[in-house]
């Protein structure tokens, strides 16, 4: 089975971590193909030939391409044997999907915005401006081009940053902090390679 | 079974139409409880007692509350007998979820923004300003309060409107226009009551 599944991912966290954790918990062997998000490898021709959307994570299973991390998680759950990752009762399954939507649309984009604003953006902006412009021009989806331009050049508005800070604060107030412990289960797979950027962000926010 | 399922909805379209079409296609009898979105009934205490999020659609099944339209559709599929609304192959199921995400996050918010910008917003703004302010102050979720304020007072930026127009144009270019035919299947249930606002929007965009 190992030769059959390949996961294309950045750090083993956030969106990349979602299908990866599901594969690990299901006991599905897979090839790990690291895509350096900060070198914009996800928009280079060799990766676009695999996933034309230019997003990570993506996964191949035989000759099938899967992308969009939450939909990928449901695919892994349904396509492979192993321990069930979803509860049985339809109302509990509805609740899982409600939380996934909350994470995907409400909480995680705010974490990402703060991460880019505080420490990823400034690092990336220190690079050659021409190289950055070329990297942005290469992005296939216009809305992703806009999103990346804002992230790279730090163009988030005061209102956007305030709303993101409010959401993260609201999440912490509710006691949320399961991220690092969960993500740490992936470390043996990726020891010495991942930069722990977003894991660091979780810790930084918890320490704030 | 009829007494057991109640759907709280606005017009039988868009987000309200999603679980409604699923119930109809599954053959599940349900009570229809109309919520007048333009009277902001969804933020009034009697509805918040049912769905504290103050969003529509919502559904009760016995003493269970379900909300979030796409998660509700999967619930209806899994909780009731009737014809299968999901394909069997995991890769086809992944594709359904990919398209639902595309609709929920990419296309439909743009339709909604254009609808509010062109003809719903101007109608609503003609009302008593004090009444509008009170309606907005009553909204329980801060991010929904912000979204409603923008919709009601027409505070969408040029960039936001341009991006929405681009998405709708991109959708039309791809041949998309299944909305009205599908929604029309719901008309016998709601004859004489719904205002066909958003259905009108579909048609207006198709005629543009």
């Amino acid at each position: 089975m190992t030769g059959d599944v390949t996961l294309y991912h950045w750090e083993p966290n956030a969106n990349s971590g979602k299908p990866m954790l599901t594969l690990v918990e299901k006991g599905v062997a897979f090839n790990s193909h690291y895509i350096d998000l900060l070198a914009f490898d996800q928009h280079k021709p060799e990766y676009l030939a695999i996933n034309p959307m230019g997003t990570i994570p993506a996964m191949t299973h035989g000759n099938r391409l899967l992308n969009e991390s939450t939909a990928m998680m449901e695919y892994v759950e349904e396509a492979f044997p192993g321990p069930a990752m979803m509860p049985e009762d339809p109302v509990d399954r509805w609740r899982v999907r409600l939380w996934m939507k909350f994470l995907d649309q409400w909480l995680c984009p705010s974490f990402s915005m703060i991460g880019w604003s505080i420490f990823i953006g400034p690092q990336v902006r220190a690079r050659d401006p021409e190289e950055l412009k070329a990297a942005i021009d290469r992005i296939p989806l216009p809305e992703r081009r806009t999103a990346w331009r804002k992230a790279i050049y730090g163009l988030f508005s005061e209102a956007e940053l305030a709303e993101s800070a409010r959401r993260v604060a609201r999440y912490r107030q509710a006691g949320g902090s399961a991220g690092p412990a969960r993500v740490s289960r992936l470390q043996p797979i990726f020891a010495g390679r991942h930069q722990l950027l977003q894991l660091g962000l979780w810790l930084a926010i918890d320490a704030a």
Side-chain angles (χ1 to χ4, degrees), chain A residues 29-67:
Chain A
F30 63 97
N31 304 304
S32 148
H33 190 120
Y34 185 78
I35 301 287
D36 189 344
L37 186 98
L38 299 185
F40 304 108
D41 283 349
Q42 70 276 24
H43 307 131
K44 289 181 182 165
E46 40 288 27
Y47 183 66
L48 294 181
I50 296 160
N51 178 17
M53 281 175 62
T55 53
I56 41 179
M59 184 170 102
T60 51
H61 181 198
N63 57 10
R64 295 169 163 186
L65 167 73
L66 296 310
N67 53 25

Side-chain angles (χ1 to χ4, degrees), chain A residues 103-134:
Chain A
L103 287 170
D104 290 346
Q105 283 189 243
W106 196 89
L107 184 62
C108 293
S110 293
F111 270 111
S112 174
M113 188 184 294
I114 291 175
W116 272 90
S117 165
I118 293 178
F119 64 104
I120 312 183
Q123 283 177 33
V124 169
R125 277 196 290 287
R127 294 191 207 157
D128 176 16
E130 287 303 310
E131 179 203 325
L132 283 178
K133 185 178 176 308

Side-chain angles (χ1 to χ4, degrees), chain A residues 89-104:
Chain A
D89 189 321
V91 79
D92 295 327
R93 297 167 68 86
W94 162 80
R95 195 169 288 113
V96 169
R97 292 174 180 133
L98 190 76
W99 277 107
M100 292 312 295
K101 185 183 166 71
F102 168 79
L103 287 170
D104 290 346

Side-chain angles (χ1 to χ4, degrees), chain A residues 6 28 49 96 120 135 184:
Chain A
T6 300
V28 180
V96 169
I120 312 183
S184 69

Side-chain angles (χ1 to χ4, degrees), chain A residues 141-175:
Chain A
L141 299 175
E143 65 273 19
R144 298 300 302 153
R145 210 148 55 220
T146 300
W148 276 105
R149 191 176 287 121
K150 288 177 79 166
I152 289 173
Y153 296 120
L155 304 178
F156 304 116
S157 71
E158 288 296 315
E160 284 173 318
L161 286 168
E163 175 63 11
S164 286
R166 183 185 77 78
R167 292 184 185 193
V168 170
R170 181 75 192 78
Y171 167 76
R172 293 193 62 209
Q173 195 184 2

